[in-house]
Amino acid sequence: MTKEQEKILIEKSIASCEGAYVPYSGFHVGACVLGEDGKFYTGFNVENVSYGATICAERSAAINMMTNSSSRKILALAVAAGDTCDTMPCGICRQFLCEFMAPDAPVYTVARNGDYMVKTFAEIMPFAFTSFKKD
Ligand SMILES: O=c1ccn([C@H]2C[C@H](O)[C@@H](CO)O2)c(=O)[nH]1
Ligand SMILES: [Zn+2]
């Protein structure tokens, strides 16, 4: 992850907030992932009147990557929302992303003005459930 890639990832996450479909919460979230192919894939949250059917920006970006490339590894993730850089991926997204992100992969949480925090995936998803054994 170069400084230039970091800048692009963050900027694309902010720009992606624009497309969010949020008639219920009004909370625009944008996300961007860097695939193992070195390309960037964006997503945003898409809400539903049946609230639980809502898809978060992070999963939307990951699905965009897999739909449009053969990348199945996410090297870095940025998620942008609101005026502060403390919007963290929800529990469902953390479990979903676990399949595709290494423990040391960076997760950027970004504010509209470009401020950000960075954590590793392992920091936000410790003791993850990653496998099961059949009887
Ligand atoms: O990390 C997050 C947190 C929330 N949301 C969405 C889900 C819903 O549309 C709205 C309010 O929870 O924000 C995301 O997309 N990503
Ligand atoms: Zn989520």
Side-chain angles (χ1 to χ4, degrees), residues 33-79:
V33 298
L34 174 62
E36 59 185 325
D37 59 358
K39 293 184 178 161
F40 297 91
Y41 299 91
T42 59
F44 42 70
N45 52 332
V46 179
E47 298 187 340
N48 191 272
V49 63
S50 175
Y51 297 171
T54 293
I55 299 174
C56 296
E58 298 90 324
R59 277 175 288 150
S60 166
I63 295 293
N64 182 16
M65 176 190 82
M66 290 186 266
T67 303
N68 290 293
S69 74
S70 56
S71 288
R72 296 295 181 265
K73 282 193 173 64
I74 294 170
L75 303 184
L77 162 72
V79 49

Side-chain angles (χ1 to χ4, degrees), residues 56-59 89-94:
C56 296
E58 298 90 324
R59 277 175 288 150
C90 78
I92 294 172
C93 286
R94 291 179 204 206

Side-chain angles (χ1 to χ4, degrees), residues 78-98:
V79 49
D83 295 325
T84 52
C85 50
D86 56 3
T87 299
M88 301 296 295
C90 78
I92 294 172
C93 286
R94 291 179 204 206
Q95 182 64 42
F96 181 91
L97 291 164
C98 218

